Amino acid sequence: MTSSVQPWDEPSDDFDDEASDVQAYDGDQFDLADRNALRRIPGLSTELADVTEVEYRQLRLERVVLIGVWTSGTAAQAANSLLELRRLAETAGAVVLDGYSQRRDKPDPATFVGSGKAAELRDAIASLGADTLICDGELTPGQLVQLEKVVKVKVIDRTALILDIFAQHAKSREGKAQVELAQMQYMLPRLRGWGESMSRQAGGRAAGGAGIGGRGPGETKIETDRRRIRTKMAKLRREIGEMGTSREIQRGERRRNAVPSVAIVGYTNAGKSSLLNRLTGAGVLVEDALFATLDPTVRKAATPDGRPYTLVDTVGFVRHLPHQLVEAFRSTLEEIGEADVILHVVDGSDEAPEEQLTAVRTVLAEIDARSIPEIVVVNKADAADSYALERLVRTEPTAVVVSARAGTGIENLLAAVSAALPRPEIEIEVLLPYDRGDLVARVHRDGIVIAEEHTEAGTRLRARVLEPLAGELSTFAAAGATAPE
């Protein structure tokens, strides 16, 4: 049988021109040969050339083939999506042998790629010696089963791959619980068994020794497993809720002390942790890998004029982030929703930084954080194309170009953060006794002192402060003070 798998060279503008000619001639239709083609993506293989190292890695790592279904966008966007899937697979510990992409109006409801292309994939997988097929999309339970029957190897989708990476990188107790909950939410509708063992029923009370007259229809094995998973999910939700209470207490303490919060968000591997280290010396893990940071890190920082605030490093986002993860990590993502300013970090050296911005803003909209003031931090400027940097600065009004590794542009970023943070607006005049030096220190730390005078009765201060501190100082109002609203 001759395979119709076609090599796909570097995505070029020629294909886009050809597609546009076809559209102009035949509406929204595509050429039949183009639509049915299963294109090979060159340059995806990560297998080592050294035979000794290859043999060692093959004992430990899964050998995978990638497949993507391209339904919209350009050829370059389809290739970038599959290249990102390769990075995800490498992060999970796999060896990528090859990758293919197919142009379709929509994924096949039975096998994702269609029966003919599934057969071609089976032959390609057999010739390469792969043991896993990874699909660039979320498969339905039916697609997963049918595709596995055809290709004869394990099939996983993009969602399962990301969940596996999260499971490897979760370190804290809360992070592990959140990932486990997301995995169970994904697994529940896809639970299946082999043979008849999963469909056998046990008597209702027979197993408990009820005997004759006590038997009932009972549950099948798969029903029992589903019930156990639901029970475990309910327990995990309770535990995550309890662990989130301590974070809420910490946030409440920061609000009480009127300490502004700045959340660092962005695409995975955009350099968020590097930026946190550069701004605060936090020393958190920095690794050239996707989803290296899962647990939020909070550090103290100060503006150039001395106003304190907190910096929060959050989990990175990715295109088509599984909704199970957004839901499971909602308590962690609340740190973003409570922030006063968002530092949206984007990799300036990426081939499509605008797509990163769109993907992150999609998740921010899901957690109701789009109304928070945003500063776009274009990172990795030392490795980025100057034209791409100019394009981002032109399209993003709040953009600040930096290099967290080299330290360039950090002063401009600190000035932008200082301008975006809420400033004290309530003007007060108070006479503080000398035994309340703590309040004097707080006014100097959290407010803007306009005038200060030391009298026999105490320290007279005229300053602008935030509302919570103005309320505490209202009992010490001096003559001529402006009453807080």
Side-chain angles (χ1 to χ4, degrees):
M1 177 178 177
T2 304
S3 173
S4 64
V5 175
Q6 302 176 6
W8 188 7
D9 297 327
E10 188 88 6
S12 66
D13 296 335
D14 296 339
F15 180 84
D16 293 336
D17 295 340
E18 181 181 345
S20 62
D21 291 339
V22 173
Q23 287 180 343
Y25 174 77
D26 199 17
D28 293 330
Q29 300 297 313
F30 290 85
D31 183 76
L32 185 61
D34 174 52
R35 178 185 299 178
N36 293 334
L38 186 66
R39 290 181 170 83
R40 179 174 174 273
I41 306 294
L44 285 179
S45 175
T46 59
E47 191 171 28
L48 297 180
D50 188 336
V51 177
T52 58
E53 291 188 44
V54 171
E55 182 178 359
Y56 170 70
R57 289 183 65 179
Q58 287 177 352
L59 293 174
R60 301 178 58 247
L61 305 180
E62 293 185 69
R63 297 161 54 85
V64 305
V65 169
L66 312 179
I67 176 65
V69 171
W70 169 31
T71 60
S72 62
T74 66
Q77 289 174 332
N80 287 338
S81 181
L82 214 60
L83 288 170
E84 181 177 87
L85 187 67
R86 181 190 71 175
R87 291 208 62 199
L88 289 169
E90 291 171 351
T91 303
V95 175
V96 178
L97 302 181
D98 218 336
Y100 303 90
S101 180
Q102 183 193 18
R103 180 69 172 93
R104 297 180 63 94
D105 291 336
K106 60 181 180 180
D108 182 74
T111 60
F112 187 66
V113 294
S115 57
K117 297 300 165 281
E120 291 182 31
L121 275 175
R122 178 194 61 206
D123 297 339
I125 289 170
S127 65
L128 290 168
D131 50 35
T132 303
L133 177 66
I134 303 179
C135 300
D136 191 15
E138 183 168 332
L139 303 185
T140 65
Q143 288 173 329
L144 195 64
V145 173
Q146 293 301 319
L147 190 55
E148 277 190 349
K149 286 182 179 179
V150 177
V151 300
K152 308 299 183 183
V153 296
K154 181 175 69 175
V155 176
I156 64 174
D157 58 17
R158 183 187 182 94
T159 299
L161 179 61
I162 293 175
L163 289 173
D164 183 79
I165 296 170
F166 269 58
Q168 291 182 43
H169 290 182
K171 296 295 186 293
S172 69
R173 179 167 167 258
E174 183 178 11
K176 291 178 180 179
Q178 289 168 327
V179 173
E180 186 177 1
L181 175 60
Q183 286 179 317
M184 288 186 172
Q185 288 174 326
Y186 171 82
M187 182 174 59
L188 185 60
R190 293 168 176 80
L191 195 64
R192 65 187 193 276
W194 290 264
E196 297 182 356
S197 62
M198 299 294 279
S199 61
R200 292 175 181 168
Q201 290 183 335
R205 295 193 301 272
I212 297 175
R215 298 180 177 89
E219 294 177 302
T220 62
K221 177 69 165 59
I222 196 167
E223 288 171 342
T224 303
D225 289 347
R226 284 174 178 157
R227 176 169 52 81
R228 288 173 176 169
I229 289 176
R230 291 190 183 99
T231 303
K232 179 65 173 177
M233 287 170 58
K235 180 182 178 183
L236 287 171
R237 287 193 178 99
R238 288 194 303 270
E239 292 178 355
I240 292 172
E242 293 170 357
M243 288 183 282
T245 303
S246 61
R247 186 178 293 110
E248 175 59 33
I249 293 173
Q250 293 171 356
R251 286 198 298 264
E253 184 68 17
R254 293 198 295 267
R255 286 193 297 267
R256 188 181 69 83
N257 292 326
V259 179
S261 174
V262 176
I264 303 176
V265 306
Y267 212 74
T268 180
N269 207 37
K272 298 181 299 299
S273 297
S274 297
L275 184 63
L276 178 70
N277 289 343
R278 172 65 65 175
L279 295 176
T280 66
V284 299
L285 171 69
V286 173
E287 186 178 358
D288 185 18
L290 305 186
F291 302 114
T293 302
L294 292 186
D295 302 314
T297 303
V298 182
R299 292 292 185 270
K300 293 180 180 179
T303 62
D305 57 0
R307 286 183 295 149
Y309 62 94
T310 59
L311 269 173
V312 184
D313 185 19
T314 59
V315 62
F317 302 140
V318 73
R319 295 179 188 92
H320 312 300
L321 189 68
H323 67 274
Q324 295 96 339
L325 280 172
V326 176
E327 181 62 32
F329 277 75
R330 187 165 293 275
S331 61
T332 300
L333 296 176
E334 286 175 358
E335 294 281 359
I336 301 174
E338 295 285 339
D340 297 285
V341 178
I342 288 178
L343 294 186
H344 186 164
V345 183
V346 60
D347 183 356
S349 65
D350 188 79
E351 295 182 356
E354 290 85 0
E355 293 182 20
Q356 289 191 3
L357 290 168
T358 301
V360 172
R361 284 167 176 164
T362 300
V363 180
L364 292 179
E366 289 187 42
I367 59 175
D368 300 324
R370 287 292 289 122
S371 60
I372 300 173
E374 175 189 57
I375 299 174
V376 175
V377 183
V378 185
N379 193 23
K380 304 184 182 180
D382 52 336
D385 178 69
S386 58
Y387 174 75
L389 295 179
E390 291 176 5
R391 186 178 71 243
L392 285 170
V393 171
R394 188 169 57 251
T395 56
E396 296 292 337
T398 64
V400 179
V401 179
V402 306
S403 171
R405 184 179 66 175
T408 57
I410 297 299
E411 292 184 2
N412 295 336
L413 176 59
L414 291 174
V417 171
S418 178
L421 286 174
R423 287 185 169 273
E425 297 178 350
I426 301 177
E427 187 171 326
I428 59 164
E429 187 171 343
V430 293
L431 181 63
L432 298 174
Y434 285 120
D435 61 353
R436 294 310 308 267
D438 58 320
L439 290 177
V440 176
R442 284 186 60 189
V443 173
H444 278 275
R445 185 190 67 192
D446 301 335
I448 300 175
V449 177
I450 301 172
E452 181 176 9
E453 179 186 1
H454 298 286
T455 67
E456 293 183 0
T459 303
R460 182 184 290 270
L461 288 174
R462 188 156 63 92
R464 284 195 297 270
V465 297
L466 295 173
E467 185 176 353
L469 183 54
E472 292 186 45
L473 296 172
S474 59
T475 56
F476 301 98
T482 302
E485 298 179 359

